[in-house]
Amino acid sequence: MNNLELEKTANEIRKGIVTAVHSAKCGHPGGSLSAADIFTYLYFEEMNIDPKNPKMEDRDRFVLSKGHVAPGLYSTLAERGFFPKEDLKTLRHTGSYLQGHPDMKHIPGVDMSSGSLGQGVSVAVGMAAAGKFDNKDYRVYALTGDGEIEEGQIWEAAMWAGHRKLDNLVVIVDNNNLQIDGPITEVCSPYPIDKKFEAFNFHVININGNDFDELRAAFKEARQTKGQPTAIIAKTLKGRGVSYMENSVDWHGKAPNDEQYEQAMEELTKAGEALCQK
Amino acid sequence: MSEVKKVATRDSYGAALVELGQEHENLIVLDADLAAATKTGVFKKAFPERHWDCGIAEANMTGIAAGLATCGKVPFVSTFAMFAAGRAYEQVRNAIGYPHLNVKIGATHAGISVGEDGASHQCLEDIALMREIPGMVVINPADDVEARAAVKAAYEHVGPVYLRFGRLAVPVINDVPDYKFEIGKGVVLKEGKDVTIFATGLEVKETMEAEKMLAADGIDAEIINIHTIKPIDRELVIASAKKTGKVVTVEEHSIIGGLGSAVCEVLCEEAPTKVLRIGVEDRFGESGPALELLHKYELDAEGIYKKVKNFLK
């Protein structure tokens, strides 16, 4: 996909996020929207996956360590054809397979259940180590939040990944600078994030995580990196694409009401139309 | 009298892993800098490429095991019970239990018989913690024979299994030609009519000794080894309780949440019976030689005998 196609796809995914969270009347739009371009690049360009065969043995794996942005992952999976887009409206509803946080037992395309912060990178490390052990070519991707890396287990996982030289592992930090209680710099600053991962023997790439040129270059560089895992520190804009949600901590875990939903969809529709005229 | 062979069940764990490792290429052993103590060191020697030391990071080790299981491996997570079930509880619950992944947890140094290390390392709560996780099998073997069989059964079982092992060398009691191990099946060691004593882990042997003392006093006790605390052998628990009308449970664990609770849960619903729970009362342990502690906490044969006698008064 070229960048324009990726941008159009990401815009559709953002519509799905807003629609799902509106229908659920709760959930986490802010971080889903900040990571939407990362999801798009991974699922439409980077990863070797097959929506018709979600459990394909040698597929690339993805672990959503920041599991609360499930709407972002689900909308991406639906857009990619793992399940019908209409189902996004059942998010968090009783009886729906689209659980509030990723559930690998019931959702096609979800490689690991997650949601309790800090645990996903360890699981991705296990997957990457299994791939190395079996001499498989598959790659493993984990997405964490910049608040999430306050959890100590992230660094246990990073230490072992660096120690074992897992160059088939890419940890992406969605660095939108906001966590529930406020800016990460005010709550418990994890900065400098890049220096920390470097100290844990990662190859580190700093990018704008809402820019497809930079995402493309970063993932290519990660593939070329041998003997170390890669950490991509992706600066993003929380709530990106919906004006009133952008860079607002209020929209970490809140659903738009009907009026706000209409406005969000109108903005995203206009953005989509603008992309079509490019 | 010939000397009784004594083996710590943690040694049985290591030995069984080596045997399984020869048969199964997908078995990977994880340890957290305790391979010498958990006895996975023998596996490391036999299969160095399949023994992964995760360093002193049990939460991460548990997550790595989950990731391995999603890729078709059968990981055995090895560390002390305190860290396997305590430190990494939430990782076990969310990364292994919730997705029902095929991970085996080999928890050594359970109970007060850890001895000199004291309360910080004497895990008395692990059965309770692990038993609550949906789909988790909890096995507490009594001796070397049972522990080896349990490790093999755990490998064959598809789904998470918590295996509880001890540090202390204990007498081998199941060394019989027709020994069979089946997950979820209690073993009647002696039939009786006056009282049923359900025991688990190294307390099985102590209970068998106590039974002899009770018999000398004319008390005909039924002794049942409950090696699998979850799923518990409901039918056997109910049938025996109905037969004797009096029940005692014995475990090297807190009296809250372990075997005693599991038995009471079954009986209160199906066959209300008066139950005496023998275990560590609602308290922490302390430092001391294992056998002295078992005596002090009345978890040796003499303590069990006294408590049962008092219960039957």
Side-chain angles (χ1 to χ4, degrees):
Chain A
M1 265 191 186
N2 63 34
N3 284 5
L4 184 59
E5 287 168 328
L6 287 168
E7 281 175 36
K8 285 179 189 171
T9 304
N11 197 65
E12 288 305 305
I13 287 170
R14 287 190 161 93
K15 284 184 191 168
I17 292 167
V18 171
T19 302
V21 174
H22 172 252
S23 172
K25 298 189 173 67
C26 61
H28 299 81
S32 296
L33 292 167
S34 69
D37 302 310
I38 297 166
F39 283 126
T40 304
Y41 191 80
L42 283 169
Y43 278 89
F44 286 84
E45 193 66 17
E46 174 69 9
M47 287 169 57
N48 173 32
I49 42 155
D50 180 3
K52 291 190 187 67
N53 185 11
K55 299 274 182 204
M56 181 171 70
E57 198 179 329
D58 293 337
R59 71 189 184 283
D60 289 340
R61 268 88 171 158
F62 176 75
V63 179
L64 183 60
S65 195
K66 49 178 293 183
H68 56 282
V69 307
L73 176 60
Y74 297 169
S75 183
T76 307
L77 290 171
E79 192 68 29
R80 190 71 173 81
F82 281 88
F83 49 81
K85 285 171 79 167
E86 302 85 75
D87 290 1
L88 291 173
K89 288 186 179 171
T90 70
L91 173 71
R92 291 175 169 243
H93 290 209
T94 307
S96 170
Y97 66 100
L98 295 179
Q99 292 293 295
H101 292 82
D103 173 7
M104 69 181 285
K105 300 296 280 181
H106 300 104
I107 308 174
V110 171
D111 290 319
M112 179 62 197
S113 303
S114 61
S116 177
L117 294 180
Q119 299 188 20
V121 178
S122 297
V123 177
V125 166
M127 292 172 173
K132 284 275 175 197
F133 181 80
D134 288 336
N135 290 314
K136 301 269 192 183
D137 290 331
Y138 68 75
R139 296 177 64 74
V140 183
Y141 302 86
L143 180 67
T144 102
D146 52 5
E148 181 185 7
I149 61 174
E150 291 159 5
E151 290 277 7
Q153 190 183 339
I154 293 285
W155 303 103
E156 293 183 7
M159 191 183 293
W160 203 77
H163 170 68
R164 299 286 286 211
K165 303 180 172 36
L166 299 177
D167 54 20
N168 54 349
L169 173 74
V170 182
V171 175
I172 307 133
V173 181
D174 182 16
N175 187 194
N176 61 34
N177 209 52
L178 293 173
Q179 60 188 120
I180 301 177
D181 282 353
I184 59 172
T185 43
E186 288 177 20
V187 176
C188 176
S189 177
Y191 292 121
I193 300 171
D194 49 2
K195 294 274 188 297
K196 284 192 176 64
F197 276 98
E198 272 171 23
F200 284 81
N201 295 315
F202 273 63
H203 176 68
V204 179
I205 308 169
N206 284 291
I207 62 163
N208 174 352
N210 296 127
D211 181 306
F212 284 109
D213 274 333
E214 294 195 27
L215 283 164
R216 194 183 299 275
F219 282 106
K220 188 179 172 197
E221 188 176 323
R223 277 182 184 276
Q224 289 164 346
T225 301
K226 300 296 171 200
Q228 308 182 268
T230 293
I232 297 176
I233 318 303
K235 278 267 179 220
T236 59
L237 180 64
K238 195 153 185 166
R240 189 173 191 265
V242 178
S243 60
Y244 59 86
M245 290 188 187
E246 286 188 353
N247 204 29
S248 164
V249 79
D250 294 343
W251 290 95
H252 172 89
K254 181 170 87 167
N257 61 28
D258 291 348
E259 197 181 322
Q260 289 163 330
Y261 171 67
E262 292 302 330
Q263 187 192 331
M265 290 304 279
E266 198 179 305
E267 288 180 17
L268 290 167
T269 302
K270 275 186 188 161
E273 285 165 3
L275 286 169
C276 285
Q277 281 160 16
K278 271 193 183 176
Chain B
M1 200 175 124
S2 66
E3 195 152 308
V4 182
K5 190 182 163 197
K6 283 188 177 179
V7 182
T9 50
R10 60 175 167 148
D11 280 302
S12 322
Y13 175 53
L17 287 175
V18 172
E19 286 175 29
L20 278 172
Q22 280 158 358
E23 294 168 40
H24 305 289
E25 287 288 321
N26 64 355
L27 188 156
I28 292 184
V29 174
L30 303 179
D31 210 305
D33 197 40
L34 289 170
T38 62
K39 299 299 176 185
T40 66
V42 291
F43 185 91
K44 183 180 184 176
K45 204 172 168 190
F47 307 104
E49 74 289 356
R50 283 193 276 147
H51 183 281
W52 300 356
D53 206 319
C54 297
I56 310 166
E58 296 80 8
N60 182 48
M61 173 167 66
T62 305
I64 287 174
L68 285 172
T70 69
C71 297
K73 303 296 174 202
V74 183
F76 277 74
V77 176
S78 320
T79 184
F80 292 178
M82 191 69 253
F83 314 129
R87 169 80 58 103
Y89 169 76
E90 204 234 313
Q91 283 76 12
V92 174
R93 194 260 189 201
N94 273 324
I96 294 173
Y98 176 43
H100 198 70
L101 291 173
N102 196 23
V103 174
K104 318 304 166 186
I105 301 164
T108 67
H109 294 63
I112 202 161
S113 61
V114 164
E116 291 84 346
D117 275 350
S120 62
H121 285 58
Q122 293 162 340
C123 192
L124 304 170
E125 306 85 6
D126 55 324
I127 294 174
L129 288 165
M130 293 295 106
R131 199 165 71 84
E132 295 233 3
I133 297 173
M136 179 69 75
V137 169
V138 179
I139 305 175
N140 185 28
D143 73 345
D144 177 51
V145 174
E146 194 162 273
R148 287 171 185 248
V151 177
K152 289 179 185 172
Y155 178 89
E156 300 297 337
H157 176 84
V158 179
V161 179
Y162 181 81
L163 295 154
R164 186 182 210 243
F165 304 112
R167 173 176 182 266
L168 178 69
V170 292
V172 177
I173 55 175
N174 288 302
D175 198 6
V176 290
D178 58 344
Y179 178 77
K180 268 193 201 142
F181 181 90
E182 193 180 339
I183 290 176
K185 285 282 174 207
V187 184
V188 180
L189 296 170
K190 182 199 162 278
E191 292 192 19
K193 61 179 186 336
D194 297 333
V195 58
T196 302
I197 310 180
F198 296 106
T200 187
L202 65 77
E203 289 303 316
V204 173
K205 170 67 179 166
E206 298 300 327
T207 301
M208 287 166 74
E209 293 297 319
E211 187 277 328
K212 288 178 196 159
M213 297 156 81
L214 291 166
D217 291 350
I219 296 166
D220 184 14
E222 179 146 302
I223 310 298
I224 297 178
N225 171 10
I226 300 287
H227 52 62
T228 307
I229 293 160
K230 186 183 176 186
I232 197 162
D233 192 340
R234 295 179 68 92
E235 285 178 18
L236 183 62
V237 169
I238 293 163
S240 184
K242 280 183 175 170
K243 181 170 107 178
T244 64
K246 291 191 184 71
V247 167
V248 177
T249 61
V250 192
E251 62 196 309
E252 198 201 358
H253 184 274
S254 168
I255 56 164
I256 300 170
L259 172 68
S261 296
V263 166
C264 287
E265 285 158 19
V266 173
L267 293 182
C268 73
E269 286 173 354
E270 306 274 356
T273 310
K274 194 170 180 191
V275 178
L276 169 67
R277 292 167 301 146
I278 298 178
V280 178
E281 307 286 328
D282 187 16
R283 59 171 296 187
F284 293 101
E286 65 184 288
S287 289
L291 295 177
E292 286 182 28
L293 291 179
L294 287 171
H295 181 69
K296 179 171 178 177
Y297 286 74
E298 298 184 297
L299 288 167
D300 60 354
E302 189 187 330
I304 296 164
Y305 163 74
K306 279 187 197 162
K307 286 190 170 181
V308 174
K309 279 280 280 185
N310 194 42
F311 176 65
L312 295 178
K313 264 182 195 168

